Amino acid sequence: MALKPKILVTSAAGKTGLPVVLQLLERGFPVRAFVRRRDKRSELLERAGAEIFIGNQYALADMRKAMESVQRAYQCAPTAPNGLHFNAIFTVAANEARLEHVVTLGQWLTSVDHPSLFTREVYLSDALIRLPSGMSVTSVNPGWFADNYLMVIDMAAHLGLFTMPLGPGDERKNAPPSNEDIASVAVAALVDPETHAGKNYRPTGPELLSPKEIAEAMGRALGRRVRYMDISEKMMTKALRALPPSNYSEAAVSQLAIYAEEYRRGSFAVNAPTQDVHRVGGRVPEEFESIVRRLVATRPELQASRAASVRTLVGFLKIVLTPALDLERVQSARDYVRIANPRFSQQTPDWVATHAGQSAQSTTAKVA
């Protein structure tokens, strides 16, 4: 019996990297998990059977070592203002190692003149990885993750409020995918390159939900009434700066504000939901309420208590007192590359042409 190819997973302790590693191991593939440090997540991966590689993903020397004796890889750039640097490092090392196949985690929004630097970098990274080299590529381009809503789960649990700047009313919708469902599509492409080479997939959840419906699903999972409250971008930046644990730099917060604007413009509802999780990942897309219930089961501190309510209220007051982030200052201070006439996704003809209609490269038929 032929040995299965070894697969490198970058950002292996992250939202999609971790389930990609676990699902590959379940299928019997040897996996090298690239992580920054040893912690509970890397220990979990090691117990599951992964080979742990500790290094700096922005260092070409480390990436070269990580790709030794590897045939395929999952390219997942960290959420950082230097994502293009990571992807350039990855692309150079992958070509030197003569990998046979790479699966990249991209973005549904990616377009050439997008206001977000992060998104323009994804566009360039997609072009770089596809330069002629004999290596095949599959792209997985999710939109707004289900996990994004869970940033405010504590406030929902203890104050009954789901607060995000997603716009008023019920018309702004999204079909949020779970991390595991996104991973299932990436894993399918890593396991079977011949079928998926050159394809672009967009995993989504099973149905479009409004912010009000997201709040109601949270409430059912938490066993209490939860109400959606539309907040300003300023309030969002205050919350992300005020409440631990926060993994968001000022740069990342500035980009999230742009994505919230895309949400209000309806870009995440375009051509959703898809059947990619079912047809490619081989599983039924998980409903949002189920995703919340899984989280609640692992976090006993979300159970109702007077002490928890007081802590959450104190946290809310801290948000109010925290200065808002000057988004324009952040982008200017970091010397971001700025373009004269940025355009949101639906203002870009090429994006509309490749995203709004049926495509031979993507299974975007709506779920029955």
Side-chain angles (χ1 to χ4, degrees):
M1 180 181 294
L3 295 176
K4 292 182 177 179
K6 179 176 284 189
I7 299 175
L8 172 68
V9 176
T10 60
S11 301
K15 293 181 181 180
T16 62
L18 193 147
V20 163
V21 173
L22 295 177
Q23 291 179 32
L24 284 170
L25 291 171
E26 288 174 359
R27 291 180 178 232
F29 281 79
V31 179
R32 180 174 293 153
F34 199 138
V35 298
R36 289 184 299 168
R37 59 179 179 270
R38 286 200 173 272
D39 57 18
K40 291 182 179 179
R41 293 170 300 177
S42 63
E43 290 171 1
L44 183 155
L45 295 175
E46 191 168 38
R47 289 195 300 271
E51 174 193 341
I52 303 301
F53 182 92
I54 301 173
N56 179 358
Q57 293 187 141
Y58 298 100
L60 181 56
D62 284 0
M63 190 65 75
R64 283 169 168 164
K65 290 178 183 177
M67 288 192 181
E68 291 177 1
S69 304
V70 164
Q71 288 77 52
R72 303 172 190 173
Y74 177 55
Q75 177 192 25
C76 178
T79 303
N82 44 16
L84 182 59
H85 183 81
F86 163 84
N87 286 323
I89 292 290
F90 180 96
T91 299
V92 169
N95 279 280
E96 289 179 351
R98 298 184 182 277
L99 298 191
E100 62 183 28
H101 187 64
V102 166
V103 175
T104 70
L105 184 72
Q107 287 186 8
W108 171 242
L109 298 176
T110 184
S111 56
V112 64
D113 289 328
H114 199 273
S116 165
L117 173 67
F118 287 14
T119 299
R120 295 199 305 275
E121 288 186 340
V122 170
Y123 186 93
L124 291 171
S125 298
D126 286 347
L128 286 175
I129 198 70
R130 283 173 169 76
L131 292 176
S133 65
M135 178 176 66
S136 60
V137 179
T138 303
S139 289
V140 179
N141 299 318
W144 190 280
F145 288 34
D147 200 69
N148 292 348
Y149 301 115
L150 303 181
M151 292 189 294
V152 295
I153 191 66
D154 291 83
M155 191 169 293
H158 302 303
L159 297 183
L161 292 175
F162 164 52
T163 57
M164 277 194 168
L166 307 180
D170 293 335
E171 66 273 17
R172 280 79 174 179
K173 293 192 175 185
N174 177 42
S178 71
N179 298 338
E180 292 76 13
D181 282 348
I182 296 169
S184 73
V185 176
V187 167
L190 287 165
V191 167
D192 184 9
E194 289 188 7
T195 298
H196 303 291
K199 301 291 182 64
N200 296 286
Y201 296 120
R202 182 206 181 183
T204 71
E207 61 179 328
L208 285 167
L209 299 172
S210 68
K212 179 182 176 183
E213 290 168 327
I214 292 289
E216 291 170 348
M218 283 185 175
R220 290 191 296 272
L222 291 164
R224 65 161 301 160
R225 182 174 180 271
V226 176
R227 178 171 60 89
Y228 170 63
M229 176 184 290
D230 183 40
I231 61 173
S232 66
E233 285 182 356
K234 278 189 174 183
M235 184 61 75
M236 180 190 74
T237 68
K238 288 158 72 79
L240 291 173
R241 298 181 74 193
L243 298 181
S246 176
N247 297 319
Y248 294 100
S249 64
E250 288 190 349
V253 172
S254 72
Q255 304 304 288
L256 283 171
I258 296 173
Y259 300 149
E261 173 64 19
E262 284 279 29
Y263 199 115
R264 295 190 294 273
R265 289 169 176 260
S267 298
F268 295 110
V270 172
N271 216 18
T274 73
Q275 290 190 20
D276 287 352
V277 172
H278 184 262
R279 290 182 177 176
V280 181
R283 52 197 276 159
V284 177
E286 188 175 10
E287 294 183 353
F288 180 69
E289 182 179 335
S290 171
I291 297 169
V292 182
R293 288 187 182 277
R294 284 196 292 111
L295 176 68
V296 171
T298 65
R299 291 189 53 189
E301 69 273 17
L302 293 176
Q303 299 300 317
S305 71
R306 183 179 296 275
S309 296
V310 170
R311 284 196 302 271
T312 306
L313 184 58
V314 170
F316 180 76
L317 294 174
K318 185 178 179 182
I319 292 173
V320 173
L321 296 173
T322 297
L325 192 63
D326 184 336
L327 299 176
E328 181 65 24
R329 178 193 62 77
V330 171
Q331 297 203 69
S332 299
R334 295 191 67 88
D335 196 26
Y336 277 0
V337 176
R338 310 295 289 276
I339 58 178
N341 298 299
R343 296 179 292 175
F344 285 94
S345 297
Q346 293 185 81
Q347 296 172 328
T348 307
D350 287 348
W351 189 93
V352 173
T354 56
H355 288 63
Q358 297 294 323
S359 169
Q361 289 191 315
S362 178
T363 55
T364 50
K366 292 193 175 183
V367 176

